[in-house]
Amino acid sequence: MSDWNQQIIDEFRANEGRVGGNFEGAPLLLLHHIGRKSGTERVTPMMYQAVGDSYAVFASKAGADTHPDWYRNLLEHPDVSAEIGTETVELRARDLEADERAPIWEKQKQDYPGFAGYETKTDRTIPVVLLERR
C-alpha cells in the first residue's frame, strides 16, 4: 500500500472518519476488499456518495486508462466491508449498468468537479459501484 493511502487511513481512524487536505469535508470511507490474485485483504480510502442506505464509489483512478485494482477485486469478491465514520458496515458490491449509473455519476461530477476532469482524461467509462448493506 502506498504511504499516501496509509497516511489517509491513519488520519481517518484517528479523527472518527474525517481527514484534511484534498479530502477535507468530502465523504470518505475505507473499503476493505480481497485481492483477486493474492487473496489478501486490502484497505483503500475513497470518496463515496450516499444513495439511500447504500454507498456509491467511483473507479476513476484519476482518469487513468485502466480500472483501479480495487474495482477488479470487487468484481471477483463482491462481499466487502467499509469503515464509515466510526462504524464498520458489511456490504455487497454491485457494478451499475448505464441507466442506474448515469444519475449517480452526474451528481458526483456536479458535487465534485474533479470527477468530471477525470472523465475527460480517459476514453473508458468510469465504473460506478453501489455498495449495498448485507
Side-chain angles (χ1 to χ4, degrees):
M1 176 185 320
S2 75
D3 288 340
W4 187 77
N5 275 357
Q6 189 60 54
Q7 289 174 350
I8 293 170
I9 291 166
D10 293 344
E11 185 178 357
F12 181 99
R13 288 177 173 159
N15 296 293
E16 299 180 332
R18 292 181 302 277
V19 298
N22 294 339
F23 294 110
E24 187 168 0
L28 194 70
L29 60 76
L30 302 181
L31 181 67
H32 293 247
H33 52 101
I34 302 298
R36 70 190 183 291
K37 293 179 183 176
S38 68
T40 302
E41 182 178 302
R42 310 281 185 197
V43 180
T44 305
M46 62 186 66
M47 287 180 64
Y48 71 88
Q49 181 188 131
V51 179
D53 290 339
S54 301
Y55 309 92
V57 293
F58 309 91
S60 64
K61 199 175 177 184
D65 286 329
T66 59
H67 295 312
D69 289 340
W70 66 260
Y71 171 73
R72 293 192 303 266
N73 291 345
L74 296 187
L75 295 178
E76 184 77 22
H77 301 287
D79 288 336
V80 299
S81 64
E83 294 174 57
I84 303 168
T86 59
E87 182 182 13
T88 298
V89 182
E90 299 297 316
L91 304 160
R92 177 172 278 264
R94 182 168 60 88
D95 195 16
L96 297 182
E97 297 294 326
D99 61 333
E100 197 174 4
R101 173 194 176 276
I104 296 168
W105 177 243
E106 291 305 315
K107 180 175 180 357
Q108 189 68 10
K109 291 190 303 182
Q110 180 181 0
D111 292 350
Y112 298 95
F115 284 88
Y118 301 153
E119 187 175 54
T120 65
K121 291 180 175 182
T122 185
D123 290 332
R124 70 182 173 92
T125 298
I126 294 174
V128 176
V129 177
L130 195 63
L131 305 174
E132 300 170 302
R133 291 178 185 263
R134 319 189 241 147

